[in-house]
Structures are given as C-alpha cells and as structure tokens.
C-alpha cells in the first residue's frame, strides 16, 4: 500500500518496537510494586524460605537459549533454508514451553507450601509479576506455533522473513524482561 | 455581542466578590484563625496576586492584539515573522523569575507545615476517621468523644490522624489545611488557635455514601472553659433521678444500643459508634448534621438512615414512647 | 534518512558465541550470589551483569547494533522513563532511606 | 496481496451499514469516533447538569447520595475516557494522514479495532446502570473505598473492566499514530515541516504509550484485589493504599496533558491560518510541547499533597509542577505573537482558538496555585480544584476541539457552516463556562468540599452554587446553535471547495470531502506552509482559482486520479476481535463459562486477522 517508508524501517517492525517501548512501562510498574512491597509481609511463608535458585537458574538458562534458537530460526528463514527454519522455530517454541512448565512446577510448589495468591504481599506481587511475564511467553509460544505451521506449509519464503523477525523481536524482549526479573526476584535480597 | 457579554461578566464578577467578602463563613479558608492557617493564607494571597498580575498582562496583550490587528477590508497580506530572540527570552525568563518568587516562600512554608510543631504541644488529640463520623481521643486527659473537639485558645494542638476504614481527610479550614487519614499510616497536623469560637470542619476525602455528611466542630475555649470541659468529660456519666430519663436508661441498656455505644459508668461498652457518655453536652449530633435538641435526637434515634443514608446505625424500630424516654436520658448525659 | 535494515551480516557462529557469553554471565551471577564474601558488593555486581546481559540481547539478538538508530532511540526512551519512574516511586516509598 | 482498485470512480464509497462495520478507512473511522465521542459528551454533560441541579440549593433532597455519587463518577470517567479521548482520536484519524501526505494510517485494521474496543468499553461501562448500579468510587477510584469490602456492588467491577478494555484500544492507537507519523510522511515532509497538530498527535501518542501501562497494571491490581482477594492495597496485610494513588496519578497527570496537547495543536494551526501569518517561533512551540509532555511524568504527586508524604517529596514535586508553567506560557505568548501584526479574521474556529488562549490561562493560573503544596492544603478536594480543571478541560480541551470542529468541518463534509450560528455557539459556551465555573473558585475557598451530594445551610455557599447551576444550563442553550448549524449545513450548506480558509497545510490540497485515497498523487513537500509558499506551481497563471486578492496560488491535487490507487480492503476481523474481547470482559463478571467462549472468539478474530491477505 505504501512503498518505501520515510524512515526506511518496515512499518510493522517499527510498530513492534514502539509496542516494546510501551511494554517497558508495563513491567516497570509491576517491578516497582514488587520492590516497594518487598519485606513488608506480615505472615509467611517468606520468599527466602521458598525460592529455589538452582531450579530457576535452569529454566532461566532454557529461556536464554530459546533466544539463540530464535535468531537461528530467523537466519534460516532469511536464507530460505526450510528444514532449518522448521527445526529452530520448533526448538524456540519447545524451550518456551519448557520454561512455562518450570514456572508451573514452581507455582504449584509455592501453593503446596501454603503460599497462595492472596497469602501475603510477596505472593500477590510475585504471582502477578511472574504470571504476567509467563502470559507473554505463552503468547509467544502460540505465535511461534503459527509460524511453524506456515513454514510447514512452505509459506515462509525469505520475502516474508520480516514476519519472523517481528515475532523474534517480541520473543527476545520477553527474554530480556526475564533477565531483569531473574536478578531482581531471585538474586537480589 | 463581544462587548456586551464582557461587561456582563464584569458585573457578575463584582457581584460574586461582594458576595464573598460580606457574610458569615464558619468553614472558610479565607478567614484564618490560627498560626498554621495564617501561613497557608499568606502564601495563597502572595501567589494569588502574582497570578492576577500575569492574568492582567496576558489578557491585556491578547485583547489589544485582536482589536488592533483585526482584518480590515484594506489590510493586505501580513509579512511573515518567524521569531524574535529578545522577546522569546523575555517571556521565558520573566515567568521563571515569578516562579522563583513563588517557590521560595512555598518551600519555606512546606518545611514548617509538613514538620511536627516547633515547640512542645500543649494538647494532643487522636482523631480516628470512621464512615461517617469522627472519634476524638485525648490520650493525656483520658477523654473519648465524637465529632466535637474542645481546645484551649492560644495553645499548640497536636492532631494525630488515623483511619479505621477508608481514606478520610481532616479539614477545619479556619484552623489549618487538609491532612488525609490513611489506613495503616499515622498523619498529623497542628495549630495554635488565636481566637475563641466554634469552627466548622468537614471530611474532605471522598469516603462513600454519606461523605457529605461527615462534618465536625472544633470549639476553641478560654483556658477556664476548657478546664471545665475537661473536668466534666473525665467524669463518668451522671446517674438519673428524673423518672423519664431513668426509664430511657433502661431502654438503652436493654437494647442493641450497648453493642455499639459506650456510656462510661454503665455496662454499655460498644465500640462501633460514638461514645455517648456526654452526648448531651454536644452542640450537634451525627457528625454535625443535626443540632443537638430533643426533636432532632428523637428523629435520629427513630430513623438514623433517613438522616444519614447508609450510616452504620440501623433503624431500631423503637416505639414513640421508648424514643421519648431515650431522648430524655441522652439529654441528661451532659 | 533511510538507513540499512533487515538481516545483519553475521554468522550463526557469532550468535552461538553471544549465547555462550550470556550463559557464562548467568552462571557468574548465580555464583556470586552464593559467595558469602561478596555479600557486601552483591547489588552492584548483579546489576552490572544484568545490564550487560540485557545489552547483549538487544544489541545482537534484536539487531539494534545493526539497525536504524531510531529503534534504539525508542527503546532507550521507554527504558529511561520506566527506570526513572521506578526509582522515583521507590524513593517516595522510602526504599533508599537506608 | 489482493486489494481494491478505487481509482477512477473518484474514490467514492460503498454505502450501507456493513460498509461502516467493516471500514478501515481513517476518514470514516474518524467520523465513527467523533459521533460516538460526541454522544458520550452529551450524556456526561447531562450528568454534570443533574449534579448541578442537586446542588442548586443547600440540603436539597432531589437525588439520593448513592445516585449522586454514581453521577459524578460516571461524569468524570465518561468525560475523560469516553468523550475527551475519542474526540481527540477522531481528529488524529481524520487530520494526521492528510497533513503528512499519507493515504491512510500505518495499520488501518488496528485502527478500526481501536475504535470498536473503545465503543464496547463505553457501552459496557453504561450497562452498569442496568445491572446493579454504576460505579461510585470517583473517577480516580481511590482504594480501599473501591475494594470489595467497602464497595461490594459490581459497580466498580464495571469501572475496572471497561477501562481495561478501552485501554487496549487506546494503546493500540498510540502505536498506530506514532508509526504513522514516523513512517508515512510524504517525501520532503521532514519533522520540522510537520504541522503543529500532527506534531502534538505524535507527542500525545508517545504519552499514551508510556502513561497507560501503569494505569493498566493498577487496574489489574484492583481487579485482583476485588476478585481474588490479593493484597495490593490492603493495609492490614502491610500494603499501602497510597500505592493506588501513585499508580493512578503516574498515569493521571500525563493523561491530562494527553487531553490538552491536541487542543494546543489545533490552536497552533488555526491561529496562523486566520491571522494569515505563519506560526511565530515554530521550533519553540514544538519543543515546548515536547517539554510539557516530558515534565508531565515528573509531577504526579501534586495530586497527593495532603496525604502527608513529607516536606522533601512535596517540595520536589511542587517545584517540578511549577516549572511546567514556563513551556505552557511560551506557547501562549507565541500564539499572541502570531496574531500580532496579522490580519485576524474572526471566523468560528478562530473565536474558539482565541477563547482557548484567554480562558486556559485562568485554569493554568489556578493550577499554579495548586502547585504550591501549602496553599493546596486548603484547595485540594474542594470546588476550587473543580474550577481549575473545568477551566483547563473546557476552556482548553473542549474549546480546542470545537475550534478544530469548525476548522475541518468543511474538509470533512464539503459544506460550509454558518458563521453567525458559529459565533452564537462560541459566545454562549464562553458565557456558560465562566458563569458555571468561576463561582466555584469562591465556593471552594469558602469551604465547599467536592464530591458532596449536599451542603449545609449557613456556610454561605448558597449564591455561588445557584449561579453555577444556572451556568450549567446555559451550556444547553449553547448547544442549540450548534445543532441548528449542523442541520442547516446538511440542508443547504454552501460547497466548501478545497481550501475555504486559505490555509497552508496539505489537507487543503484535495477536494472536500477528500477522495477515498486522499492523495491522487503523493505530494512533494518543499516547505512548512506548503500552500503559502510562493510559486509552488509554475504552470499556473495568476488570477484563475486564486482564493482572494493577496492570496497565493493553491497547488491542488488532480481529480480524478491519473492512475488507479490501491487501498486496503474492508475487513470485519477487527470487529470480531473486539467482540471477542468484549465477551471476555463480560466474563469478568459472569465467570468462566463466558470467558472461555470469549477467548475462543478472540482467537478466531486473531487468526482471521493474521491470515487475511492484506497489509497492515
Ligand atoms: C486539560 C487538563 C489539565 C491541564 C492542562 C492542567 C494543567 C495544570 N494543572 Fe491541573 N488538573 C487537571 C487537569 C489539567 N491540569 C485535572 C482534571 C485535575 C483534577 C483531577 C482530580 O482530582 O479529579 C487537576 C488537578 C491539579 C492539581 C491537584 C489539585 C488537587 O487535587 O489538590 C494540581 C496541583 O498542582 C494541578 C496543577 C496544574 C498545573 C500547574 C498545570 C499547568 O500545566 C498549567 C500551566 C499554565 C499556565 C500557568 C498558564 C499559562 C502560562 C503563562 C501565562 C506564563 C506565566 C505564568 C506564570 C509565571 C505562573 N492540577
Ligand atoms: C472534559 C472533561 C469535563 C467536562 C467537559 C465537564 C463538564 C461539566 N462538568 Fe465536570 N468533571 C470532570 C470533567 C469534565 N466536566 C471531571 C474529571 C470531574 C471529577 C469527577 C470526580 O470527582 O470523580 C468533574 C466533576 C464535576 C463536578 C463536581 C462534582 C462533585 O465533586 O461532586 C461538577 C459540579 O458541578 C461538574 C459539573 C460539570 C458541568 C456543569 C459541566 C458542563 O460543562 C456540561 C456541559 C453540558 C454538555 C456538554 C452537554 C449539554 C447539552 C445538552 C444537555 C443538550 C441536550 C442534547 C440533546 C438531548 C441532543 N463536573
Ligand atoms: Cu470521610 Cu469523606
Ligand atoms: Cu496533575
């Protein structure tokens, strides 16, 4: 509809970036709340009793690596390597799923330990913060799934690589958010 | 059209000003009667006059411009002007200077009014906001009362603010500005009243259905009157000789009343409602909504929900006679 | 004003290297967390490592390094306001009062 | 990618309701936004007038407190989110693409989606009246009063859910316009050549993107506190109810600048046109706008001066707030300087523009009085504040929008409006504004708190309130000439022609109303005031088609288009997706059995959208 854009940046890509800029504020608000309420719990269980660093380190690693899969997938699509694209897209989504499973295990462990959503300030802030992130991951997985199907149908030609690139931007951003959350929630006390 | 409506506005304005100056304003921020309120007032007028200045200048230039440069049949196309450094600097710096002139006294005042009173307070009052009435406690004097506080003239009063439910805001304009009552926090405000009288206040943070009916009175007494009031209020409730009243006493003590109200010296120890030990000595009832007289007491007791929709005192379904007796009793609680 | 966008001229190996660095940094993070001796300087270290990881991902995985400066600008502005508000809020809630 | 070729039929539209439900054309979406927003304005206005009726005399028993509290909550919420914002976005939609030489916005379908979720949000909010009563927590819904303990009714749920729903559309709109302005500018339309209105649209989009997320999160917290007993604002659990106030005002103050900057943009385009003089100090006006937006993020605590945050916090935020007077002043003075030495034509748009300059200052100055924390201790939560924000919101936002309405109406409809009726509308509105809200300065300072359904006799507030009430009904009178004017234009409005005002910007280069595709040929921009720039069109011999003596030669778009223009297809997926989200929202009240179908419908919409073969 419109040929070369005034900035030279593809319109949808620019759109994704502006959206990401806005998402920064979204997570900043959640993180602020988490930090403001840290250490104001009146009843336990308290975070230091429950947070399982080694376990989370693993899932964190998985999510990091999913970002690697993502860039490889994009590169493959751009080079028109169909089988590679399929593989890496699949791996990205798979690693995303593994991360979500990890989160599910963690959540159910907390609940089992009596730390329900409305137990204390930590649980409220923790679940909503990590839950929002998890929702973003889930959305990304679904998106990747559709891309994978497109690739399967052979409809991800190099010309349509931009679609994958945009999904990638989103995916990496979700990863970046986790880098921050991992440090703030689990390591900083 | 233009000129007429402007003159019209002028007249209207003059009218309003005259309105604002004359008359009785028991809840006015413009008639301060304490050191605290006077500080706020002084600052307000300082800013006000700066604002008037700015207003006159801006509107002056504006009106002059639109009259002077209105298009006339003969006026040919104006030549473009793209900027004028001196001017632009001018109208950047001038406002900046005015703001400095406002900011300095502002900050000085902030550090006075946002800090605890400079010298030791003579009277400390704990104010607990409740939907929709005020509980007043004098920790040092062992007095608990509601909706009406007495303070001695010329002495520093330290008011500690807490909330039992939602946000409220303590506001007695002639004695001081607003401070919110925030659940989980304790706020404070202080002032030294400099004249005797009854000063009206009102809750100034929306707190639900009857927020509008959550007012209060601050009564500034002479030293002696205050001491008398304290002495009277420290004493438990007087016991009745009068027949009607003692019947009322029985009605009260044998009804739900005691589950919410305290009358020291009886077994009424309820906490939900105002302390009624000396309710008879108050000027108003139901948080400043009704004058305290037999007729209003009866009205309140027989149908509080009509007086103050949604308030926590239910309609008790008492008989005419019981109400009459209760009123007699409550009025003796002086 | 149009700048080069699209795929960067870097090889898969390059991406793998970045990923390795990220993994190593994460490992370091967790290690310093367990080293008692570093407890005092834990905060600065972790924040720096976090920032580095963040930067690596956005610069290379998200191609900001090779892409239009405008995109970097958008992200930086978002981050700047976000971080400022976070710090301001924490200050108002007395989190830095010590 | 398959697309309609609406070339030679001069860009005429397919008619019919369906065409409106599926339109992705920014001009039609603009009209949808405008009509919806205007209806909400009338509704909220009538709520405001009911408020005034109740307050006409002391201890009035006309309305009961429960209903009154719903009224001011709905009045404020509607005015800000469902009248002010959509009316502004209506202008963004119509004007921005035309001013930058684009054929549509960057994401036409997203644009339609934004509209539908906004509309559904508004309708959902008003449904509350029929299902257990409207929200009554005030437009900023302070916790804990709005928590489930003190507001057990569903009213506040409607508030939270409707604002979440509408918020999605607003953020999408922010992305859309930011990208449109960045990416779809015609060749030569550099940033420093953009018309001021487009500039402010750009700034406001950025504000939306950064200000709405905190509000969204705040709403989510409130929703969870109400529905799942989380503890975000629960003092007993160690939380601080003030957090809600912070989150709200971190959004709320930028929000008020979202409401004013577009109005400033309109005025910055209107004043030069009707003074026949380019804007004085264009770059300064641009940057002061950016500065206002930027500073707007650092002042939110000025809504919380009475909460006892301590001297340092109050001093810092008070000072920061005052600073905003400087860039705003710069704008005011630059507008006056633009008129200075001009040939001012008092057409309706100009009347409202001058009216804005005159009355906004009053509201701005009372704002500065608030910005000094100690003096605000007396003013906060009184009618003095009510006076402040109605002066800026009506004297600013509403005047600006009406100015834009009279300015662009000929472009939108191709018909001229009557100047006499326009003038009548202006003077009545101007009168109503001052009669209604000026007395509130007095009633506030004399001790009238806001949000009170009644006030005691003997406070000396009777006269002021009565005058305010009278004023509120002059507003109704003011709407009469407007309605007449529209009716007249519809029956026998003179054809407008491409450039009735001899304005300088690109939207005046094509026929009115503009063809479907806006620009038959994408223009080459050489200067800021394209149409005033001398000898734009060498091939044109003076005289013919010159607007008026001293006017310059307009460079017009060819009509019909030389070769076919490709425009995006209409699509009903945005509507489907919006419906899906509406159902999910309803599920917030009706439970999972409604949420699940909603989610399914949402996905249907998403995939239909994703695999529909069009761009954007
Ligand atoms: C269009 C929306 C809009 C705009 C533009 C503004 C503009 C300003 N507002 Fe206002 N404000 C609101 C909408 C708006 N406000 C609303 C809706 C509320 C109430 C919310 C609620 O509680 O419901 C509110 C409340 C509000 C408060 C809180 C009051 C309280 O509740 O206690 C404060 C406090 O500082 C404030 C300050 C200001 C200031 C300093 C400006 C400045 O931007 C004004 C700057 C302009 C000028 C100063 C005039 C022009 C300048 C000159 C001519 C230069 C020379 C001037 C000087 C040197 C002073 N506003
Ligand atoms: C853009 C914003 C905006 C606008 C334009 C207005 C417009 C008006 N507002 Fe309001 N107002 C707010 C935003 C706005 N308001 C906000 C944010 C609050 C705070 C709410 C809160 O505390 O939570 C508030 C609160 C508020 C109060 C305080 C209530 C209280 O604290 O108890 C009052 C009281 O007088 C009031 C009055 C009015 C009046 C009389 C108008 C008039 O200007 C209305 C003018 C009338 C119309 C625009 C329509 C009239 C036309 C007709 C009726 C013709 C009929 C037509 C047909 C039938 C086709 N408003
Ligand atoms: Cu208590 Cu309002
Ligand atoms: Cu503000």
């Amino acid at each position: 509809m419109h040929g070369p854009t005034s900035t030279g940046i593809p319109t949808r890509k620019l759109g994704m970036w502006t959206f990401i800029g806005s998402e920064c504020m979204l997570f900043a608000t959640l993180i602020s709340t988490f930090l403001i309420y840290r250490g104001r719990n009146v009843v336990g269980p308290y975070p230091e009793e429950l947070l399982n660093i080694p376990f989370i380190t693993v899932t964190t690693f998985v999510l990091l690596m999913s970002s690697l899969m993502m860039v490889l997938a994009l590169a493959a699509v751009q080079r028109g390597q169909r089988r590679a694209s399929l593989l890496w897209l699949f791996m990205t989504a798979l690693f995303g799923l593994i991360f979500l499973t990890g989160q599910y295990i963690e959540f159910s462990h907390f609940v089992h330990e009596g730390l329900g959503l409305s137990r204390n300030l930590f649980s409220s802030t923790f679940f909503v913060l990590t839950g929002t992130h998890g929702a973003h991951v889930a959305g990304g997985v679904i998106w990747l799934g559709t891309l994978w199907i497109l690739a399967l149908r052979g409809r991800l030609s190099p010309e349509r690589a931009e679609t994958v690139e945009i999904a990638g931007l989103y995916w990496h951003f979700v990863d970046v958010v986790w880098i921050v959350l991992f440090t703030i929630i689990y390591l900083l006390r | 059209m233009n000129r007429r409506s402007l003159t019209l506005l002028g007249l209207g304005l003059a009218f309003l000003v005259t309105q604002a100056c004359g008359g009785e304003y028991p809840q006015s921020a413009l008639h301060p009667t304490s050191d605290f309120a006077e500080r706020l007032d002084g600052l307000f007028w300082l800013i006000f006059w700066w604002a008037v200045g700015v207003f006159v200048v801006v509107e002056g230039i504006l009106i002059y411009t639109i009259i002077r440069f209105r298009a006339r049949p003969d006026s040919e196309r104006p030549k473009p002007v793209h900027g004028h450094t001196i001017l632009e600097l001018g109208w950047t710096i001038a406002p900046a200077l005015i703001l400095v002139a406002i900011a300095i006294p502002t900050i000085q005042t902030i550090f006075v009014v946002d800090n605890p009173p400079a010298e030791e307070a003579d009277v400390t009052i704990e104010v607990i906001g409740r939907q929709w009435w005020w509980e007043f406690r004098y920790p040092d004097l062992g007095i608990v009362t509601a909706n009406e506080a007495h303070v001695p003239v010329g002495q520093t009063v330290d008011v500690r603010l807490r909330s039992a439910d939602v946000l409220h805001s303590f506001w007695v304009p002639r004695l001081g500005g607003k401070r919110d009552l925030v659940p989980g926090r304790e706020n404070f405000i202080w002032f030294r009243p400099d004249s005797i009288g009854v000063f009206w206040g009102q809750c100034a943070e929306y707190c639900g259905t009857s927020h509008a009916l959550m007012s209060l009175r601050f009564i500034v007494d002479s030293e002696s009157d205050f001491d008398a009031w304290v002495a009277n209020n420290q004493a438990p409730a007087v016991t009745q000789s009068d027949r009607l009243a003692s019947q009322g006493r029985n009605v009260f003590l044998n009804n739900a009343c005691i589950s919410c109200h305290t009358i020291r010296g009886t077994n009424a120890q309820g906490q939900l409602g105002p302390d009624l030990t000396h309710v008879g000595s108050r000027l108003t009832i139901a948080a400043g909504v009704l004058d305290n007289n037999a007729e209003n007491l009866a009205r309140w007791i027989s149908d509080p929900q009509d007086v103050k929709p949604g308030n926590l005192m239910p309609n008790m379904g008492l008989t005419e006679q019981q109400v009459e007796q209760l009123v007699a009793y409550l009025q003796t609680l002086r | 004003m149009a700048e080069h966008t699209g795929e960067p001229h870097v090889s898969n190996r390059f991406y793998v290297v970045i990923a390795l660095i990220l993994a190593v940094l994460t490992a370091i993070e967790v290690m310093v967390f367990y080293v008692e001796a570093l407890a005092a300087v834990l905060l600065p270290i972790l924040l720096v490592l976090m920032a580095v990881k963040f930067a690596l991902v956005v610069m290379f995985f998200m191609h900001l390094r090779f892409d239009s400066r405008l995109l970097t600008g958008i992200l930086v502005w978002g981050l700047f306001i976000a971080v400022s508000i976070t710090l301001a809020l924490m200050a108002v809630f007395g989190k830095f009062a010590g | 990618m398959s697309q309609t070729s609406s070339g030679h039929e001069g860009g005429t539209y397919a008619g019919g309701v369906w065409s409106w439900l599926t339109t992705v054309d920014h001009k039609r979406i603009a009209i949808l936004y405008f009509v919806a927003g205007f209806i909400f304005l009338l509704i909220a206005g009538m709520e405001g007038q009911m408020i005034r009726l109740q307050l006409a005399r002391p201890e009035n028993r006309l309305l009961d407190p429960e209903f009154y509290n719903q009224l001011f909550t709905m009045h404020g919420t509607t005015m800000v989110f469902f009248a002010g914002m959509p009316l502004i976005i209506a202008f963004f939609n119509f004007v921005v693409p035309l001013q930058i030489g684009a054929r549509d916005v960057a994401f036409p379908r997203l644009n339609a989606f934004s509209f539908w979720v906004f509309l559904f949000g508004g309708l959902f909010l008003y449904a509350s009246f029929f299902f257990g009563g409207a929200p009554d927590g005030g437009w900023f819904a302070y916790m804990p009063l709005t928590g489930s303990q003190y507001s057990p009714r569903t009213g506040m749920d409607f508030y939270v859910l409707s604002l979440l729903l509408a918020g999605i559309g607003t953020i999408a709109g922010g992305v859309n316009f930011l990208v449109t302005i960045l990416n779809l500018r015609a060749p030569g339309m550099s940033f420093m050549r953009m018309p001021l209105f487009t500039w402010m649209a750009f700034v406001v989009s950025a504000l939306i993107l950064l200000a709405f997320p905190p509000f969204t999160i705040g709403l989510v917290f409130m929703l969870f506190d109400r529905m799942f007993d989380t503890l975000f604002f629960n003092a007993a659990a160690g939380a601080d109810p003030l957090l809600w106030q912070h989150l709200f005002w971190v959004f709320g103050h930028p929000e008020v600048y979202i409401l004013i900057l577009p109005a400033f943009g309109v005025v910055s385009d209107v004043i030069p046109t009707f003074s026949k003089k380019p804007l004085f100090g264009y770059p300064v006006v641009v940057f002061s706008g950016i500065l206002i937006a930027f500073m707007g993020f650092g002042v939110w605590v000025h809504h919380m001066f009475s909460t006892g945050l301590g001297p340092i916090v109050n001093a810092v935020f008070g000072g920061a707030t005052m600073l905003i007077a400087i860039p705003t002043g710069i704008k005011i003075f630059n507008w006056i300087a633009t008129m200075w030495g001009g040939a001012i034509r008092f057409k309706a748009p100009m009347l409202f523009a001058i009216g804005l300059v005159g009355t906004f200052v009053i509201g701005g100055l009372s704002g500065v009085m608030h910005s000094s924390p100690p003096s605000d201790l007396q003013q906060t939560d009184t009618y003095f504040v009510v006076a402040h924000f109605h002066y800026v919101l009506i004297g600013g936002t509403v005047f600006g929008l009406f100015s834009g309405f009279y300015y662009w109406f000929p472009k939108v409809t191709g018909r001229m409006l009557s100047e006499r009726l326009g003038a009548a509308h202006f003077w009545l509105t101007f009168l109503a504004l001052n009669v209604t809200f000026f007395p509130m300065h007095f009633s506030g300072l004399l001790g009238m708190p806001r949000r009170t359904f009644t006030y005691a006799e003997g406070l000396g507030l009777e006269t002021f309130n009565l005058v305010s009430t009278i004023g509120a009904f002059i507003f109704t009178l003011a709407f009469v000439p407007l309605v007449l004017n529209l009716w007249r234009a519809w029956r026998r409005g003179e054809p407008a022609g491409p450039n009735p005002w001899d304005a300088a910007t690109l939207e005046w280069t094509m026929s009115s109303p503009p063809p479907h595709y806006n620009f038959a040929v994408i223009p080459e921009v050489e200067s800021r005031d394209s149409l005033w720039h001398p000898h734009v069109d060498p091939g044109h011999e003076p005289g013919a088609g010159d607007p008026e003596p001293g006017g310059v030669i307009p460079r017009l778009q060819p009509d019909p288009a030389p070769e076919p223009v490709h425009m995006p297809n209409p699509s009903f997926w945005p509507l489907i997706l919006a419906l899906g989200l509406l159902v999910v929202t309803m599920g917030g009240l009706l439970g999972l059995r409604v949420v699940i179908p909603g989610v399914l419908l949402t996905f249907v919409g998403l995939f239909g959208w994703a695999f529909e073969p069009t761009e954007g």
Side-chain angles (χ1 to χ4, degrees), chain D residues 460-484:
Chain D
L461 301 171
E462 293 81 354
T463 334
F464 300 107
N465 278 289
L466 187 60
V467 175
S468 289
T469 302
I470 294 167
F473 285 88
I474 305 180
F475 273 105
T476 317
L477 282 186
F479 273 71
V480 174
L482 177 61
V483 176
L484 288 180

Side-chain angles (χ1 to χ4, degrees), chain D residues 411-482:
Chain D
K411 179 53 64 183
V412 179
T413 62
R415 306 288 191 87
M416 297 305 284
L417 287 163
S418 145
E419 281 304 324
R420 301 182 80 265
L421 287 170
H425 177 209
F426 167 73
W427 283 110
L428 281 170
T429 315
F430 181 80
L431 184 73
L433 166 60
N434 290 287
V435 174
T436 312
F437 297 104
F438 199 80
M440 291 187 186
H441 293 104
F442 295 93
S443 41
L445 289 173
L446 292 177
M448 175 138 176
R450 60 191 286 196
R451 298 174 162 186
T452 49
F453 74 95
T454 187
Y455 49 98
E457 220 154 349
L459 288 172
L461 301 171
E462 293 81 354
T463 334
F464 300 107
N465 278 289
L466 187 60
V467 175
S468 289
T469 302
I470 294 167
F473 285 88
I474 305 180
F475 273 105
T476 317
L477 282 186
F479 273 71
V480 174
L482 177 61

Side-chain angles (χ1 to χ4, degrees), chain B residues 26 33 123 125 136 138 145-155 157 170 172 174-175 191 193-201 216-227 229-230 233 278-279 281-285 288 292:
Chain B
T33 58
V123 184
I125 306 180
F136 295 124
Y138 293 67
T145 179
N147 303 327
E148 283 176 21
H150 286 246
V151 292
V153 69
Q155 300 197 13
V157 184
F170 177 84
V172 184
R174 301 188 61 182
L175 295 178
F191 41 74
D194 54 29
S195 56
I196 293 173
V198 178
F199 302 106
W200 294 32
L216 69 149
R217 300 280 186 279
F218 251 68
I219 295 139
V220 180
D221 293 329
S222 67
E223 287 283 349
S224 52
D225 291 358
F226 179 70
D227 297 338
W229 180 81
V230 170
N233 274 262
H278 298 281
V279 64
S281 65
R282 293 178 199 152
L283 301 172
T284 67
I285 53 170
N292 187 357

Side-chain angles (χ1 to χ4, degrees), chain D residues 249 252-254 256-257 296 299-300 302-303 321 388:
Chain D
W249 292 118
H253 189 82
V256 303
Y257 289 152
V299 301
W300 77 86
H302 68 218
H303 295 273
T321 305
H388 159 66

Side-chain angles (χ1 to χ4, degrees), chain D residues 112-365:
Chain D
F113 168 76
S114 293
F115 168 75
W116 293 116
V117 284
F118 140 71
L119 183 64
F120 293 158
L123 297 177
F124 184 73
L125 179 64
Y126 270 84
S128 63
F129 272 116
F130 309 102
F131 300 97
D136 60 357
W139 84 284
F140 46 70
Y142 279 177
M143 279 289 208
L145 177 64
T146 49
S148 45
Q149 186 185 354
Y150 299 104
S151 300
R153 286 198 300 108
T154 52
M156 289 315 297
D157 300 319
F158 277 97
Y159 169 93
V160 175
L161 292 166
S162 65
L163 289 182
L164 277 171
L165 183 59
I168 297 170
T170 312
I171 292 182
V175 172
N176 211 338
F177 284 101
L178 203 78
V179 175
T180 304
I181 296 170
L182 279 171
N183 247 5
L184 303 192
R185 282 166 290 130
M189 176 60 78
S190 66
F191 264 84
M192 275 317 183
R193 285 180 185 168
M194 287 195 322
L196 246 295
F197 181 75
T198 296
W199 249 118
M200 290 305 117
F202 180 75
V203 173
V204 164
S205 308
L207 271 178
I208 288 175
L209 288 174
L210 294 172
F212 266 73
F215 187 43
T216 312
I217 292 300
L219 288 171
V220 170
F221 289 168
M222 182 184 277
L223 188 73
F224 277 42
D225 270 14
R226 288 183 60 83
M227 293 191 170
F228 310 123
D229 305 318
T230 50
L231 308 166
F232 289 100
F233 307 113
N234 184 325
D240 189 340
L242 288 187
L243 178 65
W244 166 262
Q245 296 187 27
H246 285 287
L247 295 185
F248 186 92
W249 292 118
V250 162
F251 148 81
H253 189 82
E255 167 69 15
V256 303
Y257 289 152
I258 291 171
L259 288 169
I260 198 62
L261 288 178
F264 285 177
V266 172
V267 170
S268 307
D269 280 359
V270 165
I271 287 181
T273 303
F274 293 91
S275 317
K276 291 190 170 297
K277 222 164 132 280
L279 183 64
F280 181 95
Y282 171 96
V284 186
V285 180
V286 169
F287 287 122
S288 55
I290 298 173
L291 208 61
I292 292 174
F294 178 69
M295 293 169 142
F297 279 102
V299 301
W300 77 86
V301 167
H302 68 218
H303 295 273
M304 303 168 62
F305 282 150
S306 64
T307 54
L309 293 175
I312 301 184
V313 174
N314 287 347
V316 170
F317 281 88
T321 305
M322 292 180 187
L323 285 182
I324 297 183
I326 297 172
T328 317
I330 291 177
K331 278 179 176 286
I332 301 269
F333 293 122
N334 278 270
W335 290 329
I336 297 179
T338 306
M339 292 187 265
W340 186 277
I344 302 170
R345 297 170 295 163
F346 295 98
K347 302 272 198 253
M350 189 59 163
L351 288 178
F352 275 101
I354 297 171
L356 181 146
V357 178
T359 42
F360 176 80
V361 170
I362 302 177
L365 291 171

